[in-house]
Amino acid sequence: GFLADANLGSAGIILNITMVCLFTLFSRSAMPNLPDQETTTRALSTITRAIDSLKKPDPQVLFLTDRHLLTFGYVREVKLIPEYERVFLMEMAMSGQPEYLDRFHNDLRNHRFDLIISEPLYIQEKGQGERFGEENDAWVDQVSEEVLCYYKPRTLIKDVRIQILIPRANPGDCQ
């Protein structure tokens, strides 16, 4: 009895480890090429110039993504706006939290942010049949469409996939 159970338990552990290793091995894709130092320095300079062009003592710059630039001191002119980070926004969009999302949408509508720094935003829905389609569609409906209604792309830094958005003078009908 006990010995058989112990062997079965060991076999289960070995099977689990083997499955994790195989999954990891076969799901790997090629590592993306990271930009060189000159490219990242130019991108950082572009972001810094955009912030400096605001000519404000305490600019409100929302880093939806790339918050590491603040964390590690690459951008020092602004304070972190903690409540609207990409992962947390995605969680709220997926779980449909109206109070939180309404607050975010109102902040966008009222142009709380002088600039928004983000990965490029798109408004293409994928649908349930696609990989991560529901997640994508929640993001598009609750974040991308709202941001792009009240803010417009000012600069796209393709090599590092960063977009700088500014408030729209005349936002469209977002409803």
Side-chain angles (χ1 to χ4, degrees):
F2 175 75
L3 222 44
D5 289 341
N7 285 338
L8 187 56
S10 296
I13 291 171
I14 291 170
L15 179 62
N16 282 333
I17 291 171
T18 303
M19 292 302 293
V20 168
C21 290
L22 288 174
F23 179 76
T24 302
L25 181 67
F26 289 113
S27 66
R28 292 210 169 213
S29 58
M31 287 292 292
N33 291 331
L34 297 176
D36 59 33
Q37 184 63 43
E38 182 180 331
T39 300
T40 56
T41 300
R42 268 195 324 269
L44 189 56
S45 177
T46 300
I47 292 168
T48 302
R49 279 194 317 272
I51 293 168
D52 289 345
S53 74
L54 297 171
K55 299 186 186 320
K56 293 177 86 172
D58 188 23
Q60 295 292 297
V61 180
L62 175 61
F63 279 78
L64 279 177
T65 61
D66 301 289
R67 288 178 169 219
H68 61 279
L69 297 175
L70 296 172
T71 302
F72 297 114
Y74 292 107
V75 174
R76 297 170 194 227
E77 300 88 2
V78 299
K79 294 178 184 162
L80 176 68
I81 299 171
E83 61 268 26
Y84 301 129
E85 192 271 334
R86 173 181 50 188
V87 173
F88 197 66
L89 265 169
M90 174 57 88
E91 187 67 33
M92 296 295 106
M94 288 293 298
S95 61
Q97 299 294 320
E99 300 86 20
Y100 175 88
L101 294 168
D102 287 346
R103 190 169 52 251
F104 176 62
H105 298 160
N106 284 331
D107 282 345
L108 294 172
R109 187 177 304 109
N110 295 323
H111 289 156
R112 172 183 172 191
F113 314 111
D114 299 307
L115 293 176
I116 296 177
I117 309 295
S118 178
E119 289 182 346
L121 296 173
Y122 303 100
I123 54 172
Q124 182 177 356
E125 292 192 356
K126 291 184 175 183
Q128 287 181 318
E130 294 292 321
R131 185 174 182 197
F132 298 112
E134 291 178 7
E135 290 87 346
N136 174 78
D137 295 351
W139 180 262
V140 166
D141 291 342
Q142 297 298 327
V143 179
S144 291
E145 286 180 354
E146 294 290 329
V147 169
L148 292 172
C149 178
Y150 299 106
Y151 289 77
K152 65 182 180 180
R154 170 183 168 181
T155 306
L156 174 62
I157 312 169
K158 289 182 184 179
D159 294 333
V160 293
R161 295 189 32 77
I162 292 178
Q163 186 176 49
I164 301 172
L165 299 111
I166 59 173
R168 289 183 182 275
N170 299 309
D173 180 14
C174 304
Q175 309 314 325

